[in-house]
Amino acid sequence: MDLPRARVGFIRKARKVRGVLKDEPPRTAPAPVNGYELLEKVADLPISTWSYTWDPDVRHLGPMAQDFAAAFGLGDSDRRIWHLDEAGVALVAIQALHRKVTTLEAEVESLRARLGEQ
């Protein structure tokens, strides 16, 4: 694969990353997230497949960085999506979906019980 020089440096640095600091001390200003609002933004987020110009035979799947930045306001640029931010959005959306499904299952069971009583 023949990559432009600027991309090679970024990719080499990125390959060295093994983890992200997520424990309490390095963070500043943690804020709660409304999972249901975030879930709506995920549902509205355009997702597409695409290839890098330097590697046209390899397809990728995901949102464009500009759309992700506009929807969630995360990261330091609208030109890239940090894996930590993408994973965080996905985890919060999964939690919100789980709460919705659990609530709906309880409602269905309640309705079934009421129908069984009639």
Side-chain angles (χ1 to χ4, degrees):
M1 175 172 31
D2 191 23
L3 300 176
R5 282 179 137 350
R7 298 274 187 211
V8 171
F10 179 75
I11 290 170
R12 283 187 185 140
K13 288 178 186 173
R15 286 184 181 156
K16 293 180 183 177
V17 174
R18 296 287 184 248
V20 178
L21 292 174
K22 295 181 186 176
D23 60 345
E24 289 297 328
R27 293 189 215 171
T28 60
V33 177
N34 183 320
Y36 296 113
E37 288 177 9
L38 187 134
L39 181 59
E40 290 301 318
K41 291 178 182 182
V42 168
D44 293 337
L45 188 64
I47 306 290
S48 58
T49 62
W50 43 270
S51 295
Y52 288 111
T53 55
W54 65 82
D55 200 5
D57 295 332
V58 177
R59 301 293 296 166
H60 301 279
L61 172 70
M64 296 295 114
Q66 293 82 358
D67 294 330
F68 190 87
F72 306 110
L74 301 171
D76 60 355
S77 169
D78 70 349
R79 305 228 19 188
R80 73 175 141 251
I81 301 171
W82 291 104
H83 295 296
L84 177 63
D85 295 328
E86 198 168 37
V89 166
L91 288 170
V92 171
I94 290 166
Q95 289 176 340
L97 278 173
H98 174 64
R99 286 191 296 272
K100 276 189 159 196
V101 168
T102 302
T103 300
L104 289 171
E105 287 174 339
E107 287 178 24
V108 167
E109 286 305 311
S110 174
L111 289 170
R112 283 183 179 158
R114 284 184 18 203
L115 284 172
E117 292 172 4
Q118 295 177 359

